[in-house]
């Protein structure tokens, strides 16, 4: 079970600590890093780290819902992850299918909408079809949005957006002078999502790895040494407390 919040009981709560300028984030994105190192430290195969990572996903979503966050975006598979050994790609695809099988009914009952960013059609047909079905089934839900980045890369997302706008210019339906940030944002996979407030990366690495590059323009960044499989409610609470103390100026004073 990942969520316990029902359709009727969704009451946003504030960040658990801090109370600084920024308050509570609406949209939190997470680079779930460190599964491999977690497994290695235990002399386990990498898949064991990913399995433990999937458990951390469940815990984190439960906590996010409890803390009143509206939308969580998870970097589950990047467009560069295809470089990993075939077996690991298969293992990650298997975990994704397992997650949908185990959680979809519950997600739907709890008014959770599943959204995908990236191009999941690159996955094997059964996995892609399961994702499509899960997205379609939960499309009308409005209690919480779980966004999973699958075969996602921010540069690819921007290139796709530029191609769409370029085609409109070529067709004579768009004047290049009208291309402003809002128009570009409207072409991105995240067009209908709340602005990104907080981006978390686990495992001590401090880079964005081609994740939400446009959307992170004014997001607060939070890096933790915790390996993803160890991430839990307390880890999220710490990130929210840090966010709560940030002063967000969006370029102003
Ligand atoms: C990075 O750790 C993690 C990934 C590439 C995959 C993330 C996938 C999951 C947490 C499991 C399933 C997700 C869902 C949404 C059900 P890494 O392997 O790069 O770790 P390392 O840097 O320590 O090797």
């Amino acid at each position: 079970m990942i969520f316990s919040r029902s359709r009727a009981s969704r009451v946003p709560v504030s960040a658990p600590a801090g109370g600084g300028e920024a308050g509570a984030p609406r949209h939190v994105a997470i680079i779930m890093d460190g599964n491999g190192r977690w497994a290695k430290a235990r002399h386990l195969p990498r898949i064991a780290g990913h399995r433990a990572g999937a458990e951390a996903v469940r815990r984190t979503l439960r906590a996010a819902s409890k803390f009143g966050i509206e939308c969580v975006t998870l970097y589950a598979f990047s467009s560069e992850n295809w470089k990993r050994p075939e077996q690991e790609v298969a293992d990650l695809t298997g975990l994704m299918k397992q997650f949908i099988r185990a959680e979809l009914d519950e997600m739907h009952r709890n008014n959770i909408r599943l959204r995908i960013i990236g191009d999941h059609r690159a996955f094997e047909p059964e996995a892609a079809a399961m994702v499509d079905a899960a997205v379609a089934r939960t499309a009308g839900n409005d209690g919480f949005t779980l966004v999973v980045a699958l075969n996602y890369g921010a540069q690819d997302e921007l290139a796709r957006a530029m191609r769409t706008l370029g085609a409109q210019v070529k067709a004579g339906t768009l004047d290049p002078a009208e291309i402003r940030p809002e128009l570009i944002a409207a072409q991105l996979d995240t067009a209908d999502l709340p602005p990104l407030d907080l981006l978390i990366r686990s495992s001590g690495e401090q880079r964005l790895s081609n994740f939400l590059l446009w959307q992170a323009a004014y997001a607060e960044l939070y890096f933790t040494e915790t390996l993803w499989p160890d991430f839990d409610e307390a880890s999220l609470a710490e990130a929210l407390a840090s966010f709560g103390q940030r002063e967000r100026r969006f370029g102003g004073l």
Side-chain angles (χ1 to χ4, degrees):
M1 183 191 79
I2 56 172
F3 289 91
S4 55
R5 191 166 61 191
S6 73
R7 276 167 198 275
S9 68
R10 186 175 186 281
V11 182
V13 296
S14 324
E21 301 279 327
R26 292 176 67 197
H27 183 175
V28 176
I30 309 180
I31 301 177
M32 309 180 288
D33 199 8
N35 295 349
R37 275 161 284 168
W38 184 93
K40 193 171 178 194
R42 289 161 180 75
H43 308 287
L44 294 170
R46 291 179 60 82
I47 176 66
H50 293 314
R51 270 197 212 107
E55 282 310 311
V57 166
R58 290 184 172 88
R59 280 198 299 276
T60 303
L61 292 176
R62 229 174 6 240
S65 169
K66 178 174 158 186
F67 294 148
I69 295 167
E70 276 174 50
C71 178
V72 168
T73 299
L74 300 175
Y75 206 6
F77 196 95
S78 80
S79 45
E80 286 72 41
N81 285 153
W82 297 108
K83 294 179 199 154
R84 295 192 175 202
E86 214 173 300
Q87 184 57 54
E88 182 157 343
V89 171
D91 287 343
L92 285 168
T93 310
L95 268 181
M96 198 165 76
K97 286 158 67 174
Q98 209 175 311
F99 186 87
I100 293 175
R101 260 188 225 109
E103 307 295 347
L104 182 60
D105 285 349
E106 175 99 18
M107 279 176 61
H108 188 47
R109 261 201 309 281
N110 286 318
N111 200 17
I112 293 154
R113 174 172 70 131
L114 175 68
R115 282 267 283 102
I116 302 298
I117 57 172
D119 185 6
H120 66 283
R121 287 164 305 178
F123 287 93
E124 44 101 346
E126 194 195 17
M130 282 177 76
V131 170
D132 281 332
V135 168
R137 182 156 171 223
T138 60
N141 294 342
D142 60 5
F144 178 95
T145 302
L146 168 60
V147 185
V148 182
L150 290 176
N151 184 28
Y152 172 87
Q155 292 175 343
D156 174 65
E157 178 190 35
L158 280 161
R160 284 188 279 114
M162 297 308 142
R163 278 201 292 276
T164 304
L165 295 178
Q168 291 172 10
V169 168
K170 193 173 172 195
T173 55
L174 175 65
D175 176 352
E178 285 170 27
I179 301 179
R180 281 183 280 275
E182 298 74 22
L183 198 74
I184 295 172
Q187 293 301 328
L188 300 179
D189 298 350
T190 51
D192 61 332
L193 301 175
L196 181 61
D197 295 310
L198 173 63
L199 194 151
I200 298 172
R201 183 170 189 149
S202 60
S203 91
E205 309 290 349
Q206 302 196 358
R207 56 179 172 268
L208 295 183
S209 298
N210 204 14
F211 189 43
L212 301 176
L213 298 183
W214 175 281
Q215 297 83 347
Y218 283 103
E220 297 296 323
L221 307 182
Y222 178 84
F223 301 103
T224 171
E225 294 292 323
T226 303
L227 300 176
W228 178 251
D230 293 325
F231 200 90
D232 60 9
E233 181 174 325
S235 319
L236 183 64
E238 261 176 51
L240 297 184
S242 169
F243 177 86
Q245 284 166 352
R246 310 277 177 98
E247 197 188 323
R248 303 184 80 195
R249 291 193 297 273
F250 301 96
L253 290 179

